[in-house]
PDB file of all heavy atoms in Angstrom:
ATOM      1  N   ALA A  51      -1.463  -4.038 -11.931  1.00  0.00           N
ATOM      2  CA  ALA A  51      -1.767  -4.510 -10.580  1.00  0.00           C
ATOM      3  C   ALA A  51      -1.636  -6.021 -10.460  1.00  0.00           C
ATOM      4  O   ALA A  51      -1.150  -6.531  -9.441  1.00  0.00           O
ATOM      5  CB  ALA A  51      -3.179  -4.076 -10.190  1.00  0.00           C
ATOM      6  N   LEU A  52      -2.061  -6.746 -11.468  1.00  0.00           N
ATOM      7  CA  LEU A  52      -1.986  -8.207 -11.406  1.00  0.00           C
ATOM      8  C   LEU A  52      -0.538  -8.680 -11.366  1.00  0.00           C
ATOM      9  O   LEU A  52      -0.207  -9.611 -10.626  1.00  0.00           O
ATOM     10  CB  LEU A  52      -2.719  -8.819 -12.602  1.00  0.00           C
ATOM     11  CG  LEU A  52      -2.785 -10.348 -12.654  1.00  0.00           C
ATOM     12  CD1 LEU A  52      -3.403 -10.918 -11.393  1.00  0.00           C
ATOM     13  CD2 LEU A  52      -3.576 -10.794 -13.890  1.00  0.00           C
ATOM     14  N   SER A  53       0.333  -8.041 -12.120  1.00  0.00           N
ATOM     15  CA  SER A  53       1.752  -8.395 -12.092  1.00  0.00           C
ATOM     16  C   SER A  53       2.358  -8.106 -10.722  1.00  0.00           C
ATOM     17  O   SER A  53       3.174  -8.881 -10.214  1.00  0.00           O
ATOM     18  CB  SER A  53       2.516  -7.634 -13.182  1.00  0.00           C
ATOM     19  OG  SER A  53       2.108  -8.042 -14.465  1.00  0.00           O
ATOM     20  N   VAL A  54       1.954  -6.992 -10.116  1.00  0.00           N
ATOM     21  CA  VAL A  54       2.426  -6.671  -8.763  1.00  0.00           C
ATOM     22  C   VAL A  54       1.980  -7.757  -7.790  1.00  0.00           C
ATOM     23  O   VAL A  54       2.775  -8.238  -6.969  1.00  0.00           O
ATOM     24  CB  VAL A  54       1.896  -5.287  -8.323  1.00  0.00           C
ATOM     25  CG1 VAL A  54       2.195  -5.052  -6.846  1.00  0.00           C
ATOM     26  CG2 VAL A  54       2.517  -4.181  -9.173  1.00  0.00           C
ATOM     27  N   TYR A  55       0.724  -8.140  -7.885  1.00  0.00           N
ATOM     28  CA  TYR A  55       0.170  -9.173  -7.001  1.00  0.00           C
ATOM     29  C   TYR A  55       0.930 -10.490  -7.155  1.00  0.00           C
ATOM     30  O   TYR A  55       1.351 -11.096  -6.162  1.00  0.00           O
ATOM     31  CB  TYR A  55      -1.307  -9.364  -7.331  1.00  0.00           C
ATOM     32  CG  TYR A  55      -1.970 -10.539  -6.656  1.00  0.00           C
ATOM     33  CD1 TYR A  55      -2.142 -10.565  -5.277  1.00  0.00           C
ATOM     34  CD2 TYR A  55      -2.440 -11.620  -7.408  1.00  0.00           C
ATOM     35  CE1 TYR A  55      -2.769 -11.637  -4.657  1.00  0.00           C
ATOM     36  CE2 TYR A  55      -3.067 -12.688  -6.797  1.00  0.00           C
ATOM     37  CZ  TYR A  55      -3.215 -12.697  -5.420  1.00  0.00           C
ATOM     38  OH  TYR A  55      -3.824 -13.761  -4.806  1.00  0.00           O
ATOM     39  N   LYS A  56       1.102 -10.930  -8.377  1.00  0.00           N
ATOM     40  CA  LYS A  56       1.785 -12.205  -8.613  1.00  0.00           C
ATOM     41  C   LYS A  56       3.228 -12.147  -8.138  1.00  0.00           C
ATOM     42  O   LYS A  56       3.753 -13.132  -7.595  1.00  0.00           O
ATOM     43  CB  LYS A  56       1.734 -12.556 -10.102  1.00  0.00           C
ATOM     44  CG  LYS A  56       0.344 -12.944 -10.584  1.00  0.00           C
ATOM     45  CD  LYS A  56       0.361 -13.290 -12.064  1.00  0.00           C
ATOM     46  CE  LYS A  56      -0.995 -13.770 -12.535  1.00  0.00           C
ATOM     47  NZ  LYS A  56      -1.001 -14.085 -13.990  1.00  0.00           N
ATOM     48  N   TYR A  57       3.869 -11.026  -8.304  1.00  0.00           N
ATOM     49  CA  TYR A  57       5.272 -10.874  -7.879  1.00  0.00           C
ATOM     50  C   TYR A  57       5.394 -11.006  -6.366  1.00  0.00           C
ATOM     51  O   TYR A  57       6.222 -11.778  -5.864  1.00  0.00           O
ATOM     52  CB  TYR A  57       5.790  -9.512  -8.339  1.00  0.00           C
ATOM     53  CG  TYR A  57       7.224  -9.216  -7.945  1.00  0.00           C
ATOM     54  CD1 TYR A  57       8.282  -9.870  -8.563  1.00  0.00           C
ATOM     55  CD2 TYR A  57       7.510  -8.260  -6.977  1.00  0.00           C
ATOM     56  CE1 TYR A  57       9.594  -9.587  -8.218  1.00  0.00           C
ATOM     57  CE2 TYR A  57       8.811  -7.967  -6.630  1.00  0.00           C
ATOM     58  CZ  TYR A  57       9.856  -8.624  -7.247  1.00  0.00           C
ATOM     59  OH  TYR A  57      11.152  -8.342  -6.897  1.00  0.00           O
ATOM     60  N   PHE A  58       4.566 -10.282  -5.643  1.00  0.00           N
ATOM     61  CA  PHE A  58       4.644 -10.342  -4.179  1.00  0.00           C
ATOM     62  C   PHE A  58       4.219 -11.706  -3.648  1.00  0.00           C
ATOM     63  O   PHE A  58       4.808 -12.210  -2.692  1.00  0.00           O
ATOM     64  CB  PHE A  58       3.815  -9.229  -3.553  1.00  0.00           C
ATOM     65  CG  PHE A  58       4.488  -7.878  -3.555  1.00  0.00           C
ATOM     66  CD1 PHE A  58       3.888  -6.792  -4.150  1.00  0.00           C
ATOM     67  CD2 PHE A  58       5.727  -7.712  -2.969  1.00  0.00           C
ATOM     68  CE1 PHE A  58       4.505  -5.552  -4.157  1.00  0.00           C
ATOM     69  CE2 PHE A  58       6.361  -6.481  -2.965  1.00  0.00           C
ATOM     70  CZ  PHE A  58       5.752  -5.395  -3.563  1.00  0.00           C
ATOM     71  N   ARG A  59       3.207 -12.303  -4.254  1.00  0.00           N
ATOM     72  CA  ARG A  59       2.796 -13.635  -3.798  1.00  0.00           C
ATOM     73  C   ARG A  59       3.919 -14.650  -4.000  1.00  0.00           C
ATOM     74  O   ARG A  59       4.160 -15.515  -3.141  1.00  0.00           O
ATOM     75  CB  ARG A  59       1.543 -14.088  -4.554  1.00  0.00           C
ATOM     76  CG  ARG A  59       0.262 -13.374  -4.188  1.00  0.00           C
ATOM     77  CD  ARG A  59      -0.131 -13.500  -2.729  1.00  0.00           C
ATOM     78  NE  ARG A  59      -0.297 -14.850  -2.262  1.00  0.00           N
ATOM     79  CZ  ARG A  59      -1.454 -15.502  -2.208  1.00  0.00           C
ATOM     80  NH1 ARG A  59      -2.556 -14.916  -2.652  1.00  0.00           N
ATOM     81  NH2 ARG A  59      -1.521 -16.712  -1.709  1.00  0.00           N
ATOM     82  N   LEU A 146      -7.343 -14.507  -3.270  1.00  0.00           N
ATOM     83  CA  LEU A 146      -7.056 -13.070  -3.248  1.00  0.00           C
ATOM     84  C   LEU A 146      -7.652 -12.364  -2.039  1.00  0.00           C
ATOM     85  O   LEU A 146      -6.959 -11.614  -1.346  1.00  0.00           O
ATOM     86  CB  LEU A 146      -7.562 -12.425  -4.540  1.00  0.00           C
ATOM     87  CG  LEU A 146      -7.456 -10.900  -4.645  1.00  0.00           C
ATOM     88  CD1 LEU A 146      -6.015 -10.435  -4.502  1.00  0.00           C
ATOM     89  CD2 LEU A 146      -8.059 -10.429  -5.976  1.00  0.00           C
TER      90      LEU A 146
END
Side-chain angles (χ1 to χ4, degrees):
L52 183 56
S53 294
V54 171
Y55 171 66
K56 290 180 176 179
Y57 179 72
F58 281 123
R59 288 301 302 265
L146 175 59

